[in-house]
Amino acid sequence: MRKMKPSGVEWIGDIPQEWEIALIKYSIKWKSEKGKPDATVLSLYRDYGIVPKDSRDDNHNVTSLDTSGYKVVDIGDFVINKMKAWQGSMAISSYKGIVSPAYHVCEITDDKVYRNYFHYLLRSDLYITEYTRLSKGMRIGQWDLDFNDFKNLPFLIPPISEQQRIAEFLDRKCAEIDSIIAKTKATIEQYKALKQSVITQAVTKGIRPDRPMKDSGIEWIGEIPQEWKISRVKYECECLDQLREPVTADLRSHNNPQYDYYGASGVIDKIDFYNVDDTVLLIGEDGANLVMRNLPLVYKAKGRFWVNNHAHILKPYEQN
């Protein structure tokens, strides 16, 4: 069994006997080189690290028209999004370019530090907990990690050869896990598509594949079973939106246990039904599109309940 020793830092605990511990400031130097507006603009992602901004289409941060004040990043520099450090948004850069002046840029100056180990260690949950504690601001989206607080955090320093082995191991394992996640996401999306296909087939064609069919007269619906009919929602349901009763701001919370809650987000109104077993249809404002994509949301009304104000409330007419 490997020999351990106290690190001297409560939130780190014991570390291997041969490891050292020092403050981060002894291994890095803060940089603020500017004046290269024509360099490649880089973006920092929590999940992907530093990449050229134009290499992805999911970054909606607007690049300044004047980038002369952007900070220069060299290959091997460590970049921190100081407002999202508590999310682990920091990385070693494999690119040369410039980043927003809102970021901290650091040069690693200690030859006993292997950069990819530094990258993994300082993005670990152990450190993220400390960034969260140290970040300051009025609300989460504006929390800010001061560089002085960051540089005075303790840094674990295994022998350089072990740092390299740790980093190479994590490169392999993280790549394997990312591959599994990507395949799982693809599988989930395929099953979602299959589910929607099965639902659409059942509600528009029926569950008997060999029954006689006829043209519905509606291009996006196509054929329907011979004995089915086409109608409009207004002939089949009564709109109950007029029963809405605005709710005061202090009650607008889906955590309020006063009534059951139905909807996608934000509780705004309550609905009062006099018949406990009324069946109601909740449908988004985009109407037909929501019906075709996700099918309507049908519930048994239980007296009063909360409902999202972006939903229409329809009650099917009783069938003769």
Side-chain angles (χ1 to χ4, degrees), residues 186-204:
T187 301
I188 290 171
E189 291 306 313
Q190 289 169 354
Y191 276 113
K192 283 182 179 179
L194 175 60
K195 176 183 176 182
Q196 286 303 110
S197 175
V198 170
I199 292 172
T200 301
Q201 175 70 22
V203 298
T204 63

Side-chain angles (χ1 to χ4, degrees), residues 60-80:
H60 305 296
N61 293 330
V62 178
T63 301
S64 174
L65 294 177
D66 180 10
T67 56
S68 60
Y70 275 39
K71 294 181 179 179
V72 174
V73 175
D74 291 307
I75 295 173
D77 282 349
F78 191 67
V79 182
I80 306 166

Side-chain angles (χ1 to χ4, degrees), residues 245-256 266-269 306:
E245 207 180 296
V247 176
T248 57
D250 60 332
L251 291 177
R252 293 179 183 176
S253 170
H254 63 273
N255 294 320
N256 190 316
V267 178
I268 304 297
D269 302 321
W306 301 120

Side-chain angles (χ1 to χ4, degrees), residues 131-150:
Y131 305 149
T132 302
R133 184 180 67 82
L134 293 171
S135 295
K136 303 176 180 69
M138 293 298 293
R139 58 178 184 265
I140 290 178
Q142 295 180 343
W143 281 358
D144 190 301
L145 178 65
D146 187 89
F147 187 75
N148 286 324
D149 290 328
F150 171 77

Side-chain angles (χ1 to χ4, degrees), residues 30-45:
W30 190 72
K31 291 177 57 175
S32 189
E33 180 186 351
K34 301 176 182 177
K36 295 188 177 180
D38 297 327
T40 301
V41 177
L42 305 175
S43 288
L44 173 57
Y45 286 81

